[in-house]
Amino acid sequence: MTGGSRRQGTCLRWLITFAVATALCVAGPSLNWKFKKGFNFGRPIPSCPLCVCDCPRPLSVLQIAPGLANLSVTDCGSNDPDLKTEMEKQYVDLLTEEMKLREAVAVEHDQHMNVTLAEARRVASQYQREAEKCNAATETCEEARERTEALLIKEKKLTSLWERRARRFGWEGD
């Protein structure tokens, strides 16, 4: 027997053991109950005797909450004058009011967006001005660097000229 088939056989045994244990865990409580009560193979189940109890009648909704029995839409809000006027409005009036509210919300939203847009434009303009200042300063620095570089080249040429003249007259520099 090779090592691979031995490993496979061991794995199969563990798998079967796990499956049986799982089945017993799932079906075990039901089987235990059946053993305690006894198996009933086709025999009629004896019926229980009728229960004789002297229980009070269940409470009705009227007894629990008397106000719940009078739930009608026409009676709703009759004590609240504001709610009463709202309920008496016609459907068209309610739709008109809803449209006015939506229009007011839209106008408020537009105003907020306009303020936000104006603020964004102001900030963008400020950044643009700062960028232009930065570009101008960079150009000035670049021009100064170019002038300095040109002066340095000129100075190096002049130094080289004087050094050549000095060597001609016998100077032995470093």
Side-chain angles (χ1 to χ4, degrees):
M1 187 178 254
T2 63
S5 63
R6 185 179 300 155
R7 226 178 313 142
Q8 188 177 14
T10 304
C11 183
L12 185 60
R13 277 190 224 117
W14 277 108
L15 184 63
I16 290 172
T17 305
F18 179 72
V20 169
T22 303
L24 286 175
C25 286
V26 170
S30 174
L31 289 174
N32 187 23
W33 181 77
K34 284 283 190 184
F35 280 122
K36 283 184 180 178
K37 296 290 182 184
F39 286 99
N40 189 4
F41 297 110
R43 289 177 288 187
I45 301 172
S47 62
C48 298
L50 291 176
C51 295
V52 179
C53 58
D54 189 21
C55 301
R57 288 182 24 174
L59 297 174
S60 69
V61 174
L62 288 174
Q63 292 169 334
I64 295 172
L68 288 178
N70 192 12
L71 287 179
S72 63
V73 177
T74 57
D75 198 25
C76 180
S78 61
N79 297 335
D80 186 5
D82 293 334
L83 187 58
K84 190 173 183 178
T85 57
E86 281 293 320
M87 295 303 285
E88 289 173 355
K89 287 184 178 178
Q90 294 296 322
Y91 185 68
V92 175
D93 295 337
L94 292 173
L95 284 177
T96 304
E97 188 174 330
E98 177 69 21
M99 291 302 293
K100 286 178 183 176
L101 287 173
R102 287 183 185 229
E103 183 180 359
V105 168
V107 166
E108 185 178 319
H109 180 70
D110 284 347
Q111 288 172 349
H112 176 71
M113 290 306 295
N114 288 338
V115 168
T116 304
L117 182 61
E119 180 68 17
R121 285 183 178 158
R122 186 189 65 77
V123 170
S125 175
Q126 182 180 354
Y127 285 145
Q128 184 68 33
R129 284 193 305 272
E130 291 295 323
E132 288 171 1
K133 284 181 192 176
C134 186
N135 286 340
T138 303
E139 286 177 16
T140 304
C141 282
E142 187 64 27
E143 289 170 3
R145 187 194 61 77
E146 288 173 358
R147 281 194 312 266
T148 305
E149 191 175 357
L151 285 173
L152 182 64
I153 291 171
K154 209 176 196 185
E155 191 65 33
K156 282 183 179 180
K157 286 181 182 177
L158 187 62
T159 303
S160 176
L161 175 73
W162 280 104
E163 190 175 330
R164 278 192 310 251
R165 285 183 185 169
R167 287 188 193 275
R168 243 186 288 152
F169 289 114
W171 179 70
E172 298 176 10
D174 344 329

